[in-house]
Amino acid sequence: MSSPHLLLTGDRLALGMPRDEMLTEYHRWETDPGSVLGRGSGFPQTWEARAEEWDRALDDRDHPCFEIVRLKDKQPIGLTSLRVDARERRAEFSILIAPAHRGRRLAEEATRLTLDWSFHLGGLHAVWLRVLEPNRAGLTAFEKAGFRPTGRFRKSGHWLGQRVDEVLMDALIEDFPGPSAMVTTLGR
């Protein structure tokens, strides 16, 4: 397996380029029942559909994806992605932490690094997300990373057999808690 190609380094984590050779592992993380629950997707995606989506995404500049890498051992532990609306200079954010690495407060740093890239290099004006209301750990991590609640879709999500609200959150550059790893890296 190749070493991760790190792009932006934080305290415990880095963002790197996603790797073809990791696709089987990414798919395993995505089809974990906890991931399916947290994403509100209901059912796992087949391997064939995921592989086809991966091939399409490689050429899509409006759908950047980052591998989350633990610095101490260069182990990949998750993914973040953006669905960019280039005309509006905003993007929808999503994150996936590998099942074995959940509950360690890694989502906050990975989210902050992705926001850092989005605002300081990607030139985005706003980044937004949807999170199911019962996902308290996600809500807390996103708020600490700079997201603010902006509204909700009532009873539009599903959590363990119950209809739940989807909380809408967004972040602007002025919400970014800093310091910027991007600014530090580029020496500005």
Side-chain angles (χ1 to χ4, degrees):
M1 181 179 301
S2 66
S3 296
H5 175 166
L6 303 183
L7 301 169
L8 183 61
T9 302
D11 296 328
R12 298 184 298 160
L13 303 174
L15 296 181
M17 293 296 297
R19 298 173 280 165
D20 284 340
E21 65 201 60
M22 287 294 299
L23 186 55
T24 302
E25 188 71 3
Y26 300 157
H27 184 256
R28 190 179 66 74
W29 299 343
E30 292 163 345
T31 57
D32 172 77
S35 299
V36 173
L37 175 67
R39 290 176 162 232
S41 54
F43 296 95
Q45 187 177 41
T46 66
W47 166 251
E48 294 79 11
R50 181 60 174 114
E52 185 177 308
E53 181 182 278
W54 177 263
D55 289 338
R56 278 193 317 270
L58 292 176
D59 295 326
D60 187 354
R61 295 178 49 89
D62 291 333
H63 191 236
C65 183
F66 298 100
E67 184 177 77
I68 305 166
V69 178
R70 190 171 55 194
L71 286 173
K72 72 178 182 180
D73 58 5
K74 303 294 190 270
Q75 181 178 0
I77 58 102
L79 296 167
T80 66
S81 66
L82 298 164
R83 288 200 184 274
V84 177
D85 179 338
R87 192 182 81 223
E88 299 293 332
R89 302 305 307 156
R90 65 179 171 223
E92 181 181 9
F93 171 80
S94 66
I95 186 169
L96 171 69
I97 300 293
H101 299 282
R102 293 183 189 140
R104 299 180 186 173
R105 301 182 147 214
L106 300 171
E108 177 189 344
E109 184 176 356
T111 300
R112 192 172 42 249
L113 287 169
T114 306
L115 285 176
D116 196 352
W117 186 287
S118 298
F119 294 138
H120 296 109
L121 197 60
L124 296 180
H125 168 70
V127 179
W128 67 278
L129 61 82
R130 291 181 286 199
V131 60
L132 297 175
E133 189 171 44
N135 185 351
R136 303 308 302 167
L139 285 165
T140 299
F142 299 141
E143 284 181 349
K144 287 184 177 182
F147 281 93
R148 300 291 170 254
T150 59
R152 63 184 52 238
F153 290 128
R154 296 181 306 148
K155 305 293 185 201
S156 63
H158 186 267
W159 186 273
L160 298 175
Q162 302 296 314
R163 300 301 302 169
V164 298
D165 290 356
E166 282 183 286
V167 178
L168 303 174
M169 303 179 85
D170 74 358
L172 306 175
I173 193 165
E174 52 264 27
D175 300 323
F176 184 75
S180 169
M182 182 62 69
V183 171
T184 301
T185 297
L186 295 176
R188 309 274 187 246

